[in-house]
Amino acid sequence: MLPDKHGHFGQFGGRFVPETLMPALLELEKAYSRIRRDPDFRKELAGLLKDYVGRPSPLYFAQHLTQALGGPKIYLKREDLNHTGAHKINNTLGQGLLARRMGKKRVIAETGAGQHGVATATVAALLGMECDIYMGTEDIRRQRLNVIRMKLLGAQVIPVESGSCTLKDAMNEAIRDWVTNVRHTHYVIGSVAGPHPYPRLVRDFQSVIGREAKVQMRQAEGRLPDCLVACVGGGSNAMGLFYPFLKDPVRFIGVEAAGHGLESGRHSATLVAGAVGVLHGACSYLLQDPWGNIREAHSLAPGLDYPGVGPEHSYFKETGRAEYVAINDEEALEGFKILARTEGILPALESAHAVAYVQKHAKEFKDGELVVINLSGRGDKDVEAVSEILEQS
Amino acid sequence: MKKINAMFKRLAARGEKALIPYITAGDPSLALSRELVLEMAGRGADLIELGIPFSDPLADGPTIQAACQRALKQEVNLPKILDLVRTLRQDTEIPLVLMGYYNPILAYGLDRLARDAAEAGVDGFIIPDLPGEEARDWHRAACDAGLAPIFLAAPTSGPARIRKIGSLTRGFLYYVSVTGITGARAGLPEDLKTALAEVRQLVTCPLAVGFGISTPEQVRDLAPLVDGVVVGSAIVQKIACRTDAAMVKEIGDFIAELKAPLRSGQ
């Protein structure tokens, strides 16, 4: 099973961090391998996922969207119905309980769309931990409501004003904080990215999505789905849905953000259009210039606006286990609109990329094919931004 | 690698300690970096670290982040820094070490960079986000080319890791003084001296200390415990944005002040 004991997925992954953090990563790895088998921990996490998060999240047959598109039979995995409105809480709850068992009194996190920040602040409030969230000033502007939510939950939101003022820069700043306060602080990474053991740990906590979907699809259709579709920024919701189907004959499609279009250079399509490198502690595909400086990413969806991607997705790309495609801003807005109009569901702009992919390629699926779209988050946070754009056009 | 070893040997024979200043290459310009290196070499520096600017320097504080940004605006990259080293080698034999993050090094190609850097006159590399565990290919490439792969140890490392890093590093062991990022600090950790004395027992290679050291008083305080002292942000702060001729002279004066407590008999 991957990753290997050094945290590598083939050539990807690993631990590319300052020496100061190496002992903390080794400690986290050791603590995690002990605690994850602890029956008390598993019981506590399962109880909270059920009664606090509201799991299992429904697998909803989107009949009207299916009819409107005239393609495959579409099911939605409703992570948007989780407490705090996205899949992020599956991971923050797991890491929060882990951090508490490790005796850490403070948690920090980076956030782009604010969903991971809100989920971390929520768990910090629940577990009585101090919480600081790093967020780029551009994202603070775009996701005002989530900033207010984090503050109401008792977290401090620290504005980051370097680089593109988005997720990558927030992650730089969170790592700098962690280097400084590593002895009493746990860094809650929000995606299947970062140094080992994070990609594995986050994958494990998010895999509840795919495990449930498998059971639910068997109940609904008596068989496995044919295809899973999820948006990919860092890639945690996609990995959470895909991973439990790894050995099954099921297609994986990861949808990246093409932003203004791949040819414009203003996009976040790391796997589709990037090159292999090292950022934020792991070897993976990156958006970079010929000299290895990181390029600014762009996407309408702040949660996808990241120039890196989880190392296991890079491995899936290399081995051909998953296909990665890109959907631009305009197409994502169409996905947002069609789901709102046909099913009465406002998806997060991130998840709208996955909807838009199926919308665009509906006719290429065979009749009766079963497709699961991961609806990773709800769109309330994007209402302001979307209405601004729709008014302009 | 040879020049670094020879330098520490020469100083040890005299009971002297090394001053290791850091500047970001291309801050404020490559031409001024050249002048700064020559000035520092003439005023008491024993080894000079040239920073490779990177877009996301996550082990660095605001001072060196800003220096990286200034250098990147001048479109400074690895080939241009190797050219700078080539022209410096016409005028100085001081050991030169490049310090930079792993991605630009990976993008250039490990073997190719080691060869090109050695040919240009570079003596070693410090890569702060490349721990020993991930450094097998780089270690081999650097050593084959005669470059010193220099590794860092931190206050969080603990004795077992420090021993391992001590046997992996070439040239010297770079001990990070604080649990944190680079940047001038008014006070250093209280337990730093005890920590340095412990590290001394664990490794046999020359030992240098850096991060946060900014005044001649701090240098004097640490000198007896180490073979070299690294000063970075305090110098970069003085350079910040200035391009006047007086700046180079001022840096030279500062180097002389920092070196004084490291000379023998001090």
Side-chain angles (χ1 to χ4, degrees), chain B residues 108-139:
Chain B
Y108 194 106
L110 302 184
D111 289 308
R112 189 164 82 99
L113 178 60
R115 272 197 314 271
D116 290 357
E119 172 268 319
V122 173
D123 299 291
F125 273 82
I126 303 169
I127 309 175
D129 59 345
L130 186 69
E133 282 87 342
E134 301 287 353
R136 209 176 51 192
D137 293 347
W138 169 246
H139 196 274

Side-chain angles (χ1 to χ4, degrees), chain B residues 1 4 96-99 117 121-126 138 146-150:
Chain B
M1 181 156 21
I4 302 174
L96 293 171
V97 165
L98 301 191
M99 178 162 188
V122 173
D123 299 291
F125 273 82
I126 303 169
W138 169 246
L147 294 172
I150 298 160

Side-chain angles (χ1 to χ4, degrees), chain B residues 29 39 63-64 82 96 114 158 161 172 177 179 187 191 208 222 235 261:
Chain B
S29 68
E39 173 76 11
T63 303
I64 292 177
L82 295 184
L96 293 171
R161 287 187 66 80
F172 62 95
S177 70
T179 306
D191 54 0
L222 297 173
I235 295 169

Side-chain angles (χ1 to χ4, degrees), chain B residues 22 79 94 101 109 117 130-131 136-137 151 154 166 203 224 228 245 258 266:
Chain B
Y22 166 98
I94 190 166
Y101 291 84
L130 186 69
R136 209 176 51 192
D137 293 347
F151 287 87
V203 303
L258 292 168
Q266 292 289 321

